[in-house]
Amino acid sequence: MASVPNIFTTWPPIRDELETETSASQDKTVQECLPLHLGSRGSFMGDESQGLPKLDRAKHIRYLHRSLEPLPAVFVGYDASRPWVIYWALTALSLLGEDVAPYRERVTQTFSAMQNVDGGFGGGHGQTSHCAPSYAAVLSLAMVGGTASLDMIDRKALKQMGVSESALMEKKMSGQTFEGGISGSPQTEAHGAYAFCALACLSILGPPQEIIPSYLDVHLLLGWLSARQYAPEGGFAGRTNKLVDGCYSHWVGGCWPLLEAAIEGSRTQSETADSPKGSLYSRDGLMRYILACCQSEKGGLRDKPSHSAQNYNYYRKGHADDASRVLPDALQWASVPHRSTDERENGLETLSANARVTPIHPIYVIPSPAVENTRGYFERKGSF
């Protein structure tokens, strides 16, 4: 078995002597992760290079298909999040190379009943429209594709419920906190999810190297994001003094390609693949956390070793390991495999083919072909 770097197998060299409920929870999480990184609790299910366990694709695919079938009564609390349940599962299946087109009719019928005449989609049948379920519904329809699925979106009404660009800019500027992260409203705590949403929105509206520095303090944000990755766990936390959580593999991990684009500017596919620069975060650490600590023995991914698997964790972890090729038009962004300088020089790949997932669009977080097909369809269709 390949050796695992010491940073992922030993306690942090500097620790606060003050014991609190938070520090006790942090110690418990580290104690759960260390044996998994060392492979001493059955986490090494294959012979992956670099001491990484394999991605148990078959179990995860079965888990995700089951999540799109009738769910037990305990899921009643998800009634207002039904578009998200569908979006999480479809995106994760796409990451694993599964064709989601067979779900086209069911997805279209489901969202048809959730779309409101005044624009947008509710979280469930008869519920008020909201930006969050509208986001999940539109992207799910784009993934399954097809004329009927795309035509059912009332684009004119949907646009009317949206926020203006000027209001959006003001919102993003007022949301950056003294720490450097982004909050949901002024004078509140910075959160990884808001950071991704802010960076993605700005990247849609203009070239990231121009628009992001115009509205955000990039260096302050870089410092805050860097502090969200912990060792020895390897994963990300969403807020200051919080525990690592698998879902932030997307929310925080997804910030890095956008922030790199803001710092380095646009790059072609060949320039990205051959770049001597490393990542701004530890890809190695994040991959170890996902593969060693977050895979459930029954299929699916969990936010930390002591928790149960949930399908929203799967799509978020898959998003994190894509490096992006950036072009000025956000709809033309794409993802390409990233290889470090050492990998190129030694002819090594950090992950085997088994553990690599299908690249997805770094802004819209669906497969790039779905973005291209949807854009092409509506361009041919013309204005509403």
Side-chain angles (χ1 to χ4, degrees), residues 2 6 21 27 97 112 134 156 158 166 180 192 200 202 208 267-268 287 305 309 346:
N6 288 337
E21 182 178 350
D27 288 350
S112 176
S134 297
K156 184 175 182 179
L158 183 63
S166 59
L202 290 170
R267 288 181 290 170
T268 65
M287 288 187 290
N346 298 317

Side-chain angles (χ1 to χ4, degrees), residues 202-286:
L202 290 170
S203 298
I204 289 172
L205 295 173
Q209 68 271 28
E210 297 175 10
I211 194 166
I212 290 176
S214 298
Y215 291 98
L216 299 174
D217 186 326
V218 172
H219 293 290
L220 201 60
L221 177 57
L222 176 62
W224 183 84
L225 284 171
S226 298
R228 303 282 69 75
Q229 189 167 26
Y230 296 170
E233 304 98 301
F236 291 117
R239 292 175 284 166
T240 302
N241 287 332
K242 295 295 183 179
L243 303 178
V244 292
D245 188 316
C247 73
Y248 295 112
S249 300
H250 162 61
W251 293 120
V252 176
C255 290
W256 292 113
L258 309 182
L259 196 58
E260 287 173 354
I263 295 171
E264 300 177 9
S266 302
R267 288 181 290 170
T268 65
Q269 182 168 347
S270 60
E271 288 172 341
T272 300
D274 296 333
S275 173
K277 299 180 181 178
S279 296
L280 291 174
Y281 68 100
S282 173
R283 297 175 65 254
D284 185 30
L286 183 58

Side-chain angles (χ1 to χ4, degrees), residues 32-65:
E32 293 172 358
C33 292
L34 284 176
L36 293 170
H37 283 316
L38 289 167
S40 58
R41 271 177 46 190
S43 66
F44 287 87
M45 302 171 284
D47 57 351
E48 297 287 344
S49 64
Q50 311 299 318
L52 286 164
K54 73 175 184 180
L55 178 65
D56 204 335
R57 306 176 76 93
K59 284 185 178 180
H60 298 323
I61 288 171
R62 288 196 297 271
Y63 174 88
L64 292 163
H65 282 300

Side-chain angles (χ1 to χ4, degrees), residues 123-188:
H125 298 158
Q127 296 180 18
T128 303
S129 294
H130 189 279
C131 285
S134 297
Y135 172 98
V138 170
L139 293 180
S140 296
L141 292 165
M143 275 189 283
V144 297
T147 301
S149 298
L150 297 177
D151 279 348
M152 69 149 289
I153 303 171
D154 187 340
R155 292 186 293 156
K156 184 175 182 179
L158 183 63
K159 183 179 180 180
Q160 290 175 346
M161 72 164 285
V163 65
S164 70
E165 181 174 331
S166 59
L168 181 63
M169 296 301 97
E170 183 179 349
K171 178 79 170 177
K172 300 312 171 192
M173 290 180 69
S174 64
Q176 188 164 27
T177 73
F178 69 95
E179 292 182 285
I182 310 296
S183 65
S185 59
Q187 308 303 316
T188 57

